[in-house]
Amino acid sequence: MSTSPLISGDYSCDPRLVELLYTSDPYALSTQLSDDQIRLLLPSLTWLAMQKIPKSHRILQSAYLVKIINRFNQTDDVIQLLDCNFQAISHESKKLQRARLKSNNPSSIDTSEFGQATVQERCLIVTSLLLVSSSGTKTTKCPYCKTNQQQEQQLFDDQTYMEYLGDLMCILLLELSSLFKFETFVPQLLHSKYGYYYLFRLLLNIPSISLTLIETVVRTSSSLCGTAATEIDHARYQLVLTYVKLYPNYKNRILRLCFQRKTLLLILLELFDESTVNILTSVLTDIKHRHWFNKYMKQHNHQELIRTLLTKLFTFYKKQTNLAPTILKICGILHIHCDVKFTQSELSQLLMILTSMSNITLALSFLMIVPTLIESVEQTVIQWLKHSLEKDVSEKLLMIGIFCSANYLEPLNAIVSNTLGFNCVIRPGTFTHLRNLLTQTVFTTDILIQRFPLIPVTKNLSTSKQSSHAFLPAHFICHLLSSGSCNLHHVNMNKWIYDQILLCVEPVHPIMLTLINEYVRACLRQDYPWHLDPIYSKDIEDFFNDNPKITLITTKTLLLLYLLSYDEQVLKIIPTSTNIQRYPRKLFDLIPMPYLAIKLTDENYSSIAPQLGRLMMEQFPYVFLADHVLYLEADRFHPQDDQLLLDVLANTLENGISRKQAEQWRRLWFRAYAVSGQQLTLKTARVLLKNSSLTYDSLCSDPNCLLRFPHSLYNYSPIIQIILFIMRELLIASRYQFDRFINLKQQQQSADLIRINDLKPEQLKESLIHAQEGLVIQILLDALDEYDKIASSAACRELQGVICSFIHQMFISNPVLAKLVHLQGYESQLIKPMIYSVPSAHICLDFIPQMLSSNDLNKQIFAFELITELAQFYPIKRALLVTKLSLQVYATLLRVLPFESRIRFFCRTYRFLTNLSSIFPPLTQYSIFVLQQAARACSLPPSSLPKLTWSSDDLSSPRNIGV
């Protein structure tokens, strides 16, 4: 019995076709399939029969299967095809392919005699045609477009050979599947008139390649395929639809491939069911795929598809209520990003879903992007919201309420987007009415404040992508603090804020700076009778004691920022309020401020670095001394045991140590200072002065007391360097203490501050600071002079380098000190070391004229000794001018001084006259004249006069000149 399959229309898509082909049960085939269906499977059934039956015994075995296939006239043709020499066909096809490539003539296949050709020749022709498109020749424009091979295309479009070619292709793919490339011959067949028929036959007869075949069909389609715009697109669409019906287990896999390739959207919408909801959600969530979806809808105006899609969604909800979040997400994206307008019936369905949900936050978020939902049922929705709030209030719901009341649309957008699972924008125009309704009836201030304890702190709060919305609880608290709601309703926030600071990590989120500033202001606001409690000092002290050294740096940095900000605000309001308590000084001693100052340059702290750096510079400027940083860069940082360092210092005071041990102690001390800071400074001072009751404030009040350490320590220059580093810290801290005291007095407008000669407080402060710092330098110079008398020259030079380096730093930071120290004077034998070891000593040239004009002879003598060494070391123009002036003053003094004073003056300063000829040769004649005048004034015989030396023109050895 022979039947011909329909050329147009739908072929049977019964999944039993594939199942029965797998089983090859003759009885099931004959009873469950029609003849038309069996005809479609004829090539594969015949191939299976011939696989089981040897050629010489075909009639002897599986007679029933053979009986079924023999009912068709085409069976003999199929058997002839199976009897071909496929190895020879493969060899000849490859040979023809190489010849075509070599001659670049793909049209060398003659298909006009296909009807008269033998079976072997027919197989060779079709194989060659399929390989022409697979060879990638130049005549093939692209694998997805029509080729120029018109002659070959006519054969596939010939209705006469359509059935035969379908059988032949099935046989070829069964026997020579490895010879063909699906990516190229599949588009070739699709471009033929009966491409759907050929590929459909292949899907049915060769299940092993069906998945690869249909995936190739999907991959070679365009983004708008499936719209039936062309016959080829329609063929692809029908093929995929047919395959999904034949192989339902692969439906999700094929639909996901369509999603990935952004093609065949119509398939996704038609086969949309509960199992493919996630695929549609992925299409609408991704920006690129959503653009593809919108483009498809706009070009084809498939409004009916959208209505059908929404109807299916509501049907799914009735079956599975747990799909509500996904349904709302899809509807929200369609409304916001695809401009879908809901009908009244659809709005009613959505409202029913919202009011039956347990997730009130999700429902409210959806209401905000579709505020038209409640236009006619406002009171019903409000009552539902109030009732839900009485049962449970989540963290997000509270934040939605506070952002609505504050009209903060940006964070509100962020939290709504986070809740719904896609980026959305709340439109102010349509949202205004809903916001007013919520703030007046649902999210009142009283409700928000009462629900505050429900908000949990954010773990690992930072600016990392993982916590992009984690700042919202802190943002909520900031609003409560800035609005004064906490002060009005007597709500303490100190525990929550302290816990949040403890849970912050790098990189620091900018919201923490705002949170700390708002909290400090709320604690000290003067326009409210009730104030928030600050973070308890006991909690902060326990934290630093439990986490010593350099652990939890982020938390320590934020606590330091809080303490400094609080202290700054307290100082501003102390004059108007006497009951404000400040944090004790010992808290700051526990903080590793020098190490935290280094962290300010880290990108992770960029959000708080400007304010924290300013506060540290204003209140603790000495933490920016860079000496310890040099050692942290040179060596890997390892926190040292402070007590071990102090024990070594105490042993040094009693028994002494070696030079190498002292140098090692210095390096370790600097490294430990980065962590311990003021604490190590105070402990070191206590050991040096043997005073365990010493406090840091007492050190700042009298820094000079630090220099009362045992004189034996001057034998260890490395230790002296540490002591002078501490001295610099104390002097800077003392200056800040003066500043704070003066500012406090000025704010209080008190008359307690003593005024001397009507000096202003600022001038008095500078005078006290200069006197204090000048005294330190004088003590060091005296100590250096005493040490020079008892120590070796090498040890003295080493100590001189350390002390003079300290003096140079003092002169650079405050040039007035140089003038003060030299006006006070010091031992003459220290002038030369000072000039040679203090590079900034050249500034003394500026005030030598003032010293010369003094009425004090000792000060004038010191000035001449000083200019002698300065001119020797700095023979510059400025020194020449000062020297000329000094010569004139010298001559004047010789005339006006009494005889005894004149003798003492000349004996101390004659080197000034004798050295001028070698320093400044142009002044030689004048210096000789003054020297002669001195001889006469002092009644000295010429033989007792000193020799005058000067340098020759070639700068060789000086020669003596008789006066």
Side-chain angles (χ1 to χ4, degrees):
M1 182 177 179
S2 172
T3 60
S4 299
L6 295 174
I7 296 174
S8 60
D10 242 356
Y11 295 103
S12 175
C13 297
D14 191 346
R16 290 180 304 168
L17 287 171
V18 180
E19 295 174 4
L20 294 175
L21 182 61
Y22 270 117
T23 60
S24 302
D25 182 1
Y27 179 76
L29 287 169
S30 62
T31 58
Q32 297 185 30
L33 298 180
S34 66
D35 286 349
D36 289 342
Q37 291 175 323
I38 295 174
R39 173 64 187 91
L40 294 173
L41 299 174
L42 185 60
S44 57
L45 292 176
T46 307
W47 183 80
L48 288 172
M50 293 187 67
Q51 293 294 317
K52 295 179 180 179
I53 305 172
K55 292 184 179 180
S56 58
H57 303 90
R58 286 181 183 171
I59 310 299
L60 300 179
Q61 299 181 21
S62 295
Y64 199 64
L65 181 61
V66 173
K67 182 179 178 181
I68 291 176
I69 62 177
N70 280 336
R71 288 157 50 186
F72 299 93
N73 295 334
Q74 296 86 351
T75 302
D76 291 336
D77 294 337
V78 174
I79 292 176
Q80 289 178 6
L81 291 172
L82 289 170
D83 286 337
C84 291
N85 186 350
F86 291 101
Q87 186 175 0
I89 292 173
S90 175
H91 177 73
E92 289 295 326
S93 299
K94 291 179 180 179
K95 185 177 179 181
L96 286 173
Q97 184 181 6
R98 287 193 296 270
R100 288 196 303 271
L101 291 174
K102 187 175 181 180
S103 62
N104 199 22
N105 182 18
S107 300
S108 59
I109 304 172
D110 186 9
T111 60
S112 59
E113 303 297 330
F114 183 81
Q116 290 77 29
T118 64
V119 175
Q120 183 84 7
E121 291 173 344
R122 288 180 177 183
C123 289
L124 179 60
I125 291 173
V126 174
T127 302
S128 300
L129 289 177
L130 295 179
L131 287 178
V132 167
S133 56
S134 299
S135 63
T137 56
K138 294 182 180 180
T139 55
T140 302
K141 293 181 180 178
C142 79
Y144 310 143
C145 303
K146 288 186 177 181
T147 68
N148 293 329
Q149 301 162 350
Q150 299 295 333
Q151 184 179 4
E152 293 84 340
Q153 197 71 36
Q154 291 174 0
L155 177 61
F156 293 146
D157 292 345
D158 193 340
Q159 182 179 353
T160 306
Y161 298 111
M162 183 188 69
E163 273 189 56
Y164 185 82
L165 287 174
D167 295 334
L168 193 154
M169 289 181 188
C170 291
I171 299 301
L172 287 177
L173 266 294
L174 282 168
E175 298 289 347
L176 300 173
S177 60
S178 61
L179 185 64
F180 304 101
K181 295 180 180 179
F182 291 90
E183 291 80 2
T184 47
F185 88 78
V186 168
Q188 173 76 3
L189 291 178
L190 281 172
H191 281 82
S192 65
K193 185 176 180 181
Y194 305 113
Y196 171 77
Y197 173 76
Y198 297 138
L199 292 172
F200 174 70
R201 293 288 305 277
L202 292 176
L203 290 176
L204 279 179
N205 286 273
I206 318 175
S208 60
I209 68 167
S210 61
L211 180 60
T212 306
L213 187 68
I214 204 66
E215 286 180 346
T216 304
V217 171
V218 173
R219 288 192 181 97
T220 58
S221 59
S222 63
S223 61
L224 295 178
C225 184
T227 63
T230 64
E231 292 183 4
I232 299 171
D233 290 340
H234 181 71
R236 283 196 177 95
Y237 164 74
Q238 291 294 339
L239 273 172
V240 175
L241 197 61
T242 301
Y243 178 81
V244 171
K245 292 178 181 179
L246 289 174
Y247 300 90
N249 292 337
Y250 290 102
K251 181 182 73 172
N252 284 354
R253 176 169 178 167
I254 297 302
L255 293 182
R256 288 194 178 280
L257 181 62
C258 294
F259 160 70
Q260 293 170 3
R261 305 293 297 186
K262 291 191 289 188
T263 188
L264 296 168
L265 179 61
L266 192 57
I267 291 286
L268 287 172
L269 298 177
E270 286 198 3
L271 299 179
F272 181 61
D273 57 18
E274 294 95 327
S275 64
T276 59
V277 168
N278 291 336
I279 298 177
L280 180 61
T281 305
S282 300
V283 170
L284 295 175
T285 304
D286 184 76
I287 296 177
K288 293 182 179 179
H289 286 83
R290 188 166 62 239
H291 175 72
W292 163 57
F293 181 89
N294 286 334
K295 185 177 180 182
Y296 178 88
M297 291 300 172
K298 288 179 181 178
Q299 288 187 357
H300 302 89
N301 195 22
H302 287 300
Q303 287 298 321
E304 193 62 34
L305 279 175
I306 295 294
R307 304 274 81 86
T308 303
L309 175 65
L310 292 173
T311 302
K312 286 183 178 180
L313 286 173
F314 299 141
T315 304
F316 299 160
Y317 173 75
K318 294 177 182 178
K319 297 178 181 178
Q320 301 182 34
T321 55
N322 61 341
L323 286 176
T326 305
I327 293 173
L328 291 181
K329 183 176 182 179
I330 293 174
C331 293
I333 296 175
L334 290 174
H335 178 71
I336 295 295
H337 296 289
C338 303
D339 294 329
V340 173
K341 307 297 182 184
F342 300 118
T343 63
Q344 193 59 42
S345 173
E346 292 165 350
L347 289 174
S348 301
Q349 294 282 346
L350 287 171
L351 191 59
M352 181 196 68
I353 294 175
L354 291 179
T355 54
S356 60
M357 288 180 63
S358 59
N359 190 343
I360 183 67
T361 306
L362 179 63
L364 183 58
S365 298
F366 188 81
L367 273 178
M368 290 184 172
I369 64 171
V370 192
T372 54
L373 275 172
I374 64 169
E375 285 182 351
S376 58
V377 287
E378 287 184 1
Q379 294 304 317
T380 303
V381 174
I382 293 302
Q383 291 301 321
W384 164 69
L385 284 173
K386 285 184 176 181
H387 180 69
S388 301
L389 280 172
E390 292 175 358
K391 292 182 178 180
D392 184 28
V393 179
S394 67
E395 164 196 344
K396 285 186 177 181
L397 190 60
L398 273 177
M399 289 185 289
I400 288 176
I402 197 65
F403 296 147
C404 282
S405 62
N407 199 20
Y408 287 170
L409 290 185
E410 184 176 353
L412 187 60
N413 278 328
I415 196 170
V416 169
S417 300
N418 186 42
T419 304
L420 294 175
F422 65 93
N423 291 329
C424 58
V425 178
I426 298 176
R427 296 159 183 166
T430 56
F431 174 67
T432 301
H433 177 68
L434 176 62
R435 184 184 71 82
N436 294 335
L437 194 64
L438 291 174
T439 54
Q440 293 170 7
T441 58
V442 179
F443 296 116
T444 62
T445 304
D446 292 340
I447 292 178
L448 294 175
I449 291 295
Q450 291 170 7
R451 302 289 184 172
F452 151 72
L454 299 177
I455 301 179
V457 295
T458 304
K459 295 182 179 179
N460 300 324
L461 177 60
S462 68
T463 56
S464 60
K465 294 181 180 179
Q466 289 77 9
S467 58
S468 56
H469 300 290
F471 73 96
L472 293 176
H475 198 291
F476 170 78
I477 301 300
C478 285
H479 173 74
L480 293 181
L481 293 170
S482 61
S483 63
S485 302
C486 300
N487 300 77
L488 285 173
H489 295 82
H490 298 189
V491 178
N492 255 323
M493 296 279 185
N494 56 342
K495 182 64 170 61
W496 193 96
I497 293 174
Y498 177 68
D499 291 341
Q500 182 61 79
I501 290 176
L502 294 181
L503 295 178
C504 288
V505 296
E506 297 178 351
V508 178
H509 199 286
I511 194 65
M512 291 307 300
L513 179 63
T514 307
L515 179 64
I516 290 173
N517 289 335
E518 294 295 344
Y519 176 57
V520 169
R521 278 193 282 269
C523 290
L524 301 173
R525 291 183 72 161
Q526 298 300 296
D527 50 346
Y528 290 99
W530 188 89
H531 302 100
L532 278 73
D533 292 336
I535 299 175
Y536 301 132
S537 60
K538 183 66 168 57
D539 292 339
I540 300 177
E541 183 178 358
D542 291 343
F543 170 78
F544 280 103
N545 287 328
D546 296 339
N547 300 279
K549 305 303 180 185
I550 56 171
T551 57
L552 299 176
I553 292 300
T554 305
T555 300
K556 290 181 179 179
T557 305
L558 290 173
L559 284 176
L560 176 61
L561 175 63
Y562 162 73
L563 290 172
L564 295 178
S565 301
Y566 186 87
D567 200 54
E568 181 187 42
Q569 294 299 320
V570 167
L571 290 176
K572 291 180 180 178
I573 66 173
I574 279 181
T576 59
S577 179
T578 57
N579 57 353
I580 300 295
Q581 297 296 322
R582 298 179 61 186
Y583 283 101
R585 184 73 187 190
K586 62 181 180 180
L587 281 185
F588 296 96
D589 295 340
L590 298 173
I591 302 175
M593 279 194 280
Y595 184 76
L596 298 184
I598 300 172
K599 300 297 287 184
L600 291 179
T601 60
D602 194 330
E603 288 183 348
N604 294 325
Y605 298 89
S606 58
S607 59
I608 63 173
Q611 178 170 324
L612 181 56
R614 176 184 62 81
L615 292 171
M616 292 177 72
M617 179 59 72
E618 291 177 354
Q619 301 184 34
F620 297 95
Y622 52 83
V623 301
F624 293 99
L625 295 176
D627 299 54
H628 62 284
V629 180
L630 301 177
Y631 296 93
L632 294 183
E633 293 176 350
D635 301 286
R636 290 186 178 272
F637 179 71
H638 298 287
Q640 302 297 325
D641 187 356
D642 295 350
Q643 191 57 45
L644 178 61
L645 292 171
L646 298 175
D647 292 343
V648 172
L649 180 59
N651 180 63
T652 303
L653 294 173
E654 298 295 334
N655 306 317
I657 55 175
S658 65
R659 172 69 175 78
K660 183 177 180 181
Q661 290 174 326
E663 177 62 28
Q664 184 181 11
W665 184 86
R666 177 178 67 92
R667 300 174 68 88
L668 296 178
W669 192 94
F670 272 127
R671 277 188 255 172
Y673 177 81
V675 176
S676 301
Q678 299 178 31
Q679 207 170 11
L680 182 60
T681 295
L682 179 59
K683 291 178 180 179
T684 305
R686 286 174 176 175
V687 174
L688 287 172
L689 303 179
K690 298 181 180 180
N691 183 357
S692 59
S693 62
L694 195 64
T695 64
Y696 196 85
D697 285 338
S698 63
L699 279 173
C700 295
S701 301
D702 183 19
N704 304 320
C705 69
L706 183 67
L707 299 179
R708 297 171 191 158
F709 57 84
H711 198 272
S712 60
L713 279 184
Y714 283 109
N715 292 318
Y716 307 103
S717 296
I719 296 180
I720 296 300
Q721 186 176 349
I722 295 296
I723 295 173
L724 296 182
F725 175 81
I726 295 175
M727 179 58 70
R728 286 174 59 202
E729 175 188 327
L730 295 178
L731 289 174
I732 296 174
S734 178
R735 179 181 286 269
Y736 168 71
Q737 196 176 61
F738 275 122
D739 286 337
R740 188 170 55 182
F741 177 75
I742 295 290
N743 293 335
L744 186 59
K745 289 297 182 180
Q746 287 179 338
Q747 290 176 356
Q748 293 175 338
Q749 297 180 350
S750 173
D752 296 337
L753 188 64
I754 301 174
R755 297 177 182 268
I756 300 176
N757 296 330
D758 293 330
L759 289 176
K760 294 181 180 179
E762 190 68 26
Q763 293 174 334
L764 177 60
K765 181 199 71 173
E766 291 297 327
S767 298
L768 293 174
I769 290 174
H770 293 159
Q772 180 175 267
E773 294 177 353
L775 179 59
V776 171
I777 295 177
Q778 289 291 353
I779 294 174
L780 290 174
L781 290 175
D782 291 343
L784 181 60
D785 183 47
E786 291 296 325
Y787 188 74
D788 187 37
K789 297 176 182 177
I790 60 174
S792 63
S793 59
C796 188
R797 281 196 300 271
E798 185 178 11
L799 181 62
Q800 173 187 314
V802 173
I803 292 178
C804 289
S805 176
F806 171 78
I807 294 174
H808 171 64
Q809 292 173 344
M810 297 292 291
F811 286 175
I812 289 297
S813 61
N814 189 4
V816 177
L817 274 181
K819 181 178 180 180
L820 178 62
V821 169
H822 287 86
L823 286 175
Q824 292 174 347
Y826 48 83
E827 295 297 329
S828 299
Q829 58 267 28
L830 294 177
I831 293 178
K832 188 171 184 178
M834 278 284 289
I835 301 301
Y836 280 72
S837 301
V838 180
S840 55
H842 64 85
I843 60 177
C844 296
L845 291 170
D846 295 336
F847 50 78
I848 282 181
Q850 183 179 348
M851 296 172 66
L852 292 174
S853 63
S854 172
N855 294 326
D856 187 353
L857 181 59
N858 290 328
K859 191 173 294 186
Q860 292 172 326
I861 292 174
F862 184 79
F864 280 105
E865 293 174 333
L866 183 61
I867 187 58
T868 302
E869 298 298 340
L870 280 172
Q872 184 78 33
F873 197 73
Y874 298 105
I876 57 179
K877 182 178 180 181
R878 175 65 177 158
L880 175 61
L881 297 175
V882 174
T883 302
K884 284 184 178 181
L885 175 63
S886 301
L887 277 172
Q888 296 173 4
V889 174
Y890 199 99
T892 303
L893 289 176
L894 289 176
R895 292 194 302 269
V896 300
L897 287 176
F899 181 78
E900 292 181 359
S901 299
R902 197 183 307 156
I903 294 295
R904 184 164 65 90
F905 170 73
F906 179 73
C907 291
R908 294 275 301 277
T909 61
Y910 71 88
R911 289 183 62 251
F912 169 71
L913 298 175
T914 58
N915 289 353
L916 281 183
S917 59
S918 61
I919 301 172
F920 299 119
L923 298 180
T924 301
Q925 203 66 26
Y926 193 16
S927 62
I928 292 174
F929 171 75
V930 176
L931 187 56
Q932 290 173 339
Q933 183 181 356
R936 290 191 297 268
C938 298
S939 302
L940 298 175
S943 59
S944 62
L945 291 178
K947 300 295 184 181
L948 184 66
T949 60
W950 68 292
S951 300
S952 61
D953 294 338
D954 60 354
L955 301 180
S956 59
S957 301
R959 54 177 178 166
N960 294 334
I961 301 290
V963 180

